[in-house]
Amino acid sequence: MRSEASEQGERERIVREIRALTTNLEQASLPAMIKHLLETDLTIQQLKVLMVLVTTREGATGRGLAESFDVSMASMSGVIDRLVAQGVAVRSEDPDDHRVRRVHATSKGTQVVRRLVVARPEFHDRVLTGLSTEDLNALEQGIRAVSDRYARIVASP
């Protein structure tokens, strides 16, 4: 039977190895991520605003965005206009206050952010289909465990 100290040491070793593997994967996938960034027509400011919109279910107001980014309302209005013109954001009437316009990311906007920020080229079909069924099962189990644990952490106050 393993001692508690031995078990803890093994867990720490595995966590270190996972961190190293993750770092190597991130480094290897960096060129693909940068390629998507260089292909976008959005400025850094527009990308920042779009990222806020993608992560805000209820959308945002121009005034709220201007305050968050510490810019004038006129500047933010211009940023929003360009996002709307590119089809990555849309303005709509606030259901609770018809004087207020809310800005939401479109599905195209969400797709742009996912491709730039959260896409994992190392998990594309070309990679996954080359793995054995045993490895795929182990990967599925690991990703499910991490996903479940992360969801619990995010949900806790």
Side-chain angles (χ1 to χ4, degrees):
M1 186 193 266
R2 294 179 100 169
S3 71
E4 195 171 309
S6 173
E7 179 75 21
Q8 184 61 29
E10 178 67 1
R11 289 175 60 85
E12 289 173 4
R13 182 199 66 75
I14 293 169
V15 168
R16 279 193 309 273
E17 183 64 19
I18 290 171
R19 278 195 196 118
L21 289 167
T22 301
T23 299
N24 289 342
L25 276 172
E26 289 167 350
Q27 185 64 36
S29 65
L30 199 54
M33 308 275 286
I34 289 172
K35 178 180 177 261
H36 292 305
L37 180 62
L38 296 175
E39 290 172 349
T40 185
D41 292 330
L42 300 174
T43 66
I44 295 298
Q45 183 77 339
Q46 291 167 352
L47 279 171
K48 288 178 180 180
V49 171
L50 183 58
M51 287 180 194
V52 168
L53 296 177
V54 165
T55 59
T56 308
R57 176 171 285 152
E58 66 277 358
T61 64
R63 180 165 313 289
L65 289 167
E67 290 171 4
S68 293
F69 286 91
D70 197 27
V71 297
S72 71
M73 188 57 199
S75 292
M76 184 53 66
S77 184
V79 170
I80 294 168
D81 287 345
R82 289 185 290 282
L83 291 174
V84 169
Q86 292 190 45
V88 296
V90 63
R91 287 184 173 102
S92 63
E93 205 172 78
D94 186 303
D96 299 325
D97 185 347
H98 299 292
R99 298 169 297 171
V100 175
R101 305 279 287 164
R102 290 214 163 264
V103 185
H104 298 271
T106 63
S107 58
K108 179 182 177 184
T110 300
Q111 181 182 10
V112 166
V113 170
R114 285 185 50 79
R115 190 177 25 163
L116 291 174
V117 179
V118 295
R120 301 297 306 246
E122 65 271 25
F123 292 121
H124 284 182
D125 286 350
R126 201 170 91 202
V127 175
L128 295 177
T129 57
L131 297 177
S132 69
T133 302
E134 180 182 357
D135 287 342
L136 285 169
N137 281 324
L139 181 60
E140 178 187 22
Q141 180 181 351
I143 290 174
R144 187 180 317 283
V146 169
S147 179
D148 291 348
R149 176 70 178 140
Y150 187 74
R152 285 192 302 274
I153 289 171
V154 171
S156 67

